[in-house]
């Protein structure tokens, strides 16, 4: 009965979730423009793959730097307007990147964009969780699908605008963080109402299973979730940073064609995120984690050994399945630590940036040494890490 009551009021908060999804779209559009323009930066500044990997590492480390601290602080002292402040950093970074005259300035610009994201995510994640109204998976799906669509649109934007018009055309995208700031300022005033409704429902519907877990089980669960996310991110980073180079080198496609192919797999990730959140509400997040991490293993093993059409089909399926994991992993962690929404959001989004950056730097160096094809062969075994889901403590999620 409690669940039905919570869900019945959920529709009133759906417009707010859509707004949060839009701001996430705008934030992640700017983020995703960075790897989308790598071919342009590589040609303009004569960069090697190690330097490309270092751009990703700089952005990802900056993106992870403040997220846990912001989340921990705002768990105790809510800052509803902090997400808008974060978008101000993003605005500065994308403007600077448009006119960056050197490699050092590129690194500084992407670091500023990363800091903006590190401030944006914890409070925006908390607002989405507060507005869930008993449909946590759906709420996180709507919020995260916005980010996925932003990432998906970026390669098309790069192909249609940035490739023909050059690096300075990035300045036109400063409008995105400006719009996001206005939207976030508008909805920040609803924070207290959402918070009160969420905590009132949480007191009634608190999970007995989670309460019965020991501290050791909670720590083990968090460690396993981090390991699962690391394996997923390491594999997906091979697409995010190097997929365009892989299809250009292996199949001889053009730069615009490679950007369209990148758009296709990002769209599949967006669909996977939304489906994963919705299905997770129905069958449980534990099952979704099993399916999304271990399920793609046969496909990843096959990927390096097929032609262009097979590569496109397999990458769509792999990203569709793998993308369904993130919402379930983060919500599972929130079930393990129900009073630390901001901290969990900050830590897991922070790890998303940091682990992705480390993976990009490592894979870039490895690709320079042994080749991109061999890197994809090695990465194809990463989904086997999903077997550790067996040891994940049950929360009823």
């Amino acid at each position: 009965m409690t669940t039905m009551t919570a869900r019945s009021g959920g529709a009133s908060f759906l417009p707010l979730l859509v707004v949060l999804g839009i701001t996430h779209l705008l934030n992640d559009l700017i983020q995703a423009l960075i790897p989308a323009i790598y071919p342009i930066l590589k040609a303009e500044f004569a960069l090697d793959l190690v330097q490309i990997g270092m751009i990703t590492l700089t952005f990802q480390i900056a993106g992870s730097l403040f997220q846990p601290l912001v989340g921990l602080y705002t768990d105790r002292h809510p800052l509803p307007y902090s997400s808008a402040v974060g978008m101000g950093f993003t605005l500065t970074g994308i403007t600077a990147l448009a006119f960056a005259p050197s490699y050092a300035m590129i690194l500084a610009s992407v670091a500023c964009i990363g800091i903006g994201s590190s401030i944006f995510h914890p409070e925006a994640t908390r607002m989405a969780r507060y507005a869930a109204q008993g449909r946590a998976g759906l709420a996180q799906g709507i919020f995260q699908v916005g980010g996925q669509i932003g990432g998906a649109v970026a390669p098309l934007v790069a192909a249609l605008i940035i490739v023909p018009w050059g690096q300075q055309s990035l300045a036109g995208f400063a409008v995105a963080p400006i719009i996001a700031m206005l939207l976030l300022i508008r909805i920040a005033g609803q924070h207290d109402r959402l918070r009160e409704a969420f905590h009132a429902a949480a007191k009634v519907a608190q999970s007995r299973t989670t309460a019965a877990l020991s501290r050791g089980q909670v720590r083990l669960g968090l460690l396993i979730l981090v390991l699962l996310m690391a394996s997923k991110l390491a594999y997906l980073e091979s697409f995010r940073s190097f997929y365009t180079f892989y299809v250009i080198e292996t199949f001889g496609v053009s730069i615009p064609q490679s950007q369209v192919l990148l758009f296709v797999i990002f769209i599949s990730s967006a669909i996977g995120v939304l489906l994963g959140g919705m299905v997770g509400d129905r069958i449980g997040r534990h099952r979704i984690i099993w399916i999304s991490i271990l399920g793609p293993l046969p496909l990843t093993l096959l990927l390096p050994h097929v032609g262009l059409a097979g590569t496109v089909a397999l990458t769509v399926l792999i990203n569709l399945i793998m993308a369904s994991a993130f919402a379930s992993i983060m919500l599972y962690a929130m079930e393990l630590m129900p009073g630390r929404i901001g901290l969990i959001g900050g830590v897991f989004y922070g790890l998303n940036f940091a682990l992705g950056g480390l993976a990009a730097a490592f894979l870039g160096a490895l690709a320079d040494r042994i080749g991109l094809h061999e890197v994809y062969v090695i990465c194809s075994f990463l989904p086997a890490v999903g077997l550790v889901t067996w040891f994940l403590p049950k929360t009823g999620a």
Side-chain angles (χ1 to χ4, degrees):
M1 184 174 179
T2 300
T3 303
M4 293 300 295
T5 301
R7 291 186 180 186
S8 67
S12 62
F13 293 121
L14 183 60
L16 187 142
L17 287 170
V18 172
V19 170
L20 285 170
I22 291 171
T23 61
H24 203 186
L25 184 157
L26 296 171
N27 179 79
D28 285 23
L29 168 64
I30 301 300
Q31 290 180 186
L33 284 177
I34 298 173
I37 65 167
Y38 280 170
I40 298 171
L41 296 178
K42 186 176 186 292
E44 180 71 22
F45 295 93
L47 305 179
D48 57 32
L49 289 180
V50 173
Q51 289 174 305
I52 293 291
M54 286 304 298
I55 294 174
T56 302
L57 178 62
T58 300
F59 164 66
Q60 304 282 40
I61 292 297
S64 67
L65 190 62
F66 296 114
Q67 290 203 45
L69 295 177
V70 172
L72 180 62
Y73 182 84
T74 55
D75 276 334
R76 301 175 180 177
H77 310 283
L79 296 174
Y81 294 92
S82 61
S83 293
V85 172
M87 294 307 300
F89 280 89
T90 300
L91 172 62
T92 301
I94 193 62
T95 305
L97 182 60
F99 302 103
S102 65
Y103 182 64
M105 190 62 186
I106 290 172
L107 294 179
S109 300
V110 300
C112 195
I113 295 172
I115 291 171
S117 289
S118 75
I119 299 173
F120 166 81
H121 279 112
E123 193 62 39
T125 301
R126 183 199 317 280
M127 287 282 282
R129 179 66 166 148
Y130 284 170
Q133 295 292 287
R135 300 292 299 274
L138 177 61
Q140 280 299 315
I142 293 172
F143 176 63
Q144 291 179 24
V145 80
Q148 292 288 334
I149 292 174
V153 169
L156 280 186
V157 167
L160 297 175
I161 299 176
I162 301 173
V163 169
W165 294 99
Q167 179 185 347
Q168 292 186 358
S169 62
L170 285 170
F173 295 95
V175 68
I178 292 173
I179 293 172
M181 289 171 69
L182 295 174
L183 291 173
L184 289 166
I185 290 171
R186 182 175 180 82
I187 66 174
Q190 300 186 50
H191 178 275
D192 290 343
R193 178 171 69 96
L194 289 169
R195 185 174 182 232
E196 290 174 5
F198 172 80
H199 285 298
K203 288 179 181 179
V204 177
Q206 186 175 10
S207 171
R208 295 180 181 178
T209 306
T210 301
L213 295 178
S214 67
R215 288 186 179 181
Q217 288 175 309
V218 170
R219 290 170 184 168
L220 175 63
L222 292 174
L223 179 62
I224 291 173
L225 291 173
V226 169
L227 181 60
L228 291 170
M229 193 176 71
S231 68
K232 179 183 83 79
L233 287 172
Y235 188 84
L236 293 181
E237 195 60 47
S238 68
F239 290 113
R240 190 179 304 165
S241 290
F242 304 112
Y243 185 69
T244 53
F245 299 118
Y246 177 73
V247 293
I248 289 170
E249 176 184 301
T250 306
F251 305 111
V253 304
S254 66
I255 290 178
Q257 288 172 329
S258 72
Q259 300 288 7
V260 172
L261 293 177
L262 193 60
F263 166 77
V264 170
I265 64 173
F266 281 161
I267 282 293
S268 65
S269 292
I271 296 171
V273 164
L274 187 58
L275 290 178
M278 294 170 65
V279 175
D281 281 336
R282 292 182 176 273
I283 70 172
R285 281 170 262 286
H286 193 271
R287 291 192 181 101
I288 286 292
I289 292 171
W290 266 115
I291 295 168
S292 60
I293 302 295
L294 188 60
L297 181 59
L299 307 179
T300 61
L301 292 173
L302 183 60
L303 177 65
H305 309 291
V306 298
L308 177 59
T311 296
V312 173
L314 288 174
T315 51
V316 166
L317 290 173
I318 290 167
N319 280 269
L320 181 69
I321 298 169
M322 278 194 173
S324 65
F326 187 75
S328 291
I329 288 175
M330 190 163 65
L331 288 170
Y332 209 103
M334 289 179 181
E335 290 287 335
L336 291 172
M337 298 183 68
R340 292 288 183 265
I341 297 172
L343 176 61
I344 292 298
V347 167
F348 277 80
Y349 274 111
L351 285 172
N352 189 35
F353 279 83
L355 294 174
L358 290 171
F362 175 77
L363 293 175
L366 190 62
D368 276 339
R369 181 176 294 272
I370 67 174
L372 276 172
H373 181 270
E374 285 70 21
V375 165
Y376 276 92
V377 172
I378 293 171
C379 288
S380 67
F381 293 91
L382 284 171
V385 175
L387 290 169
V388 303
T389 304
W390 179 268
F391 302 101
L392 194 61
K394 302 295 192 298
T395 66

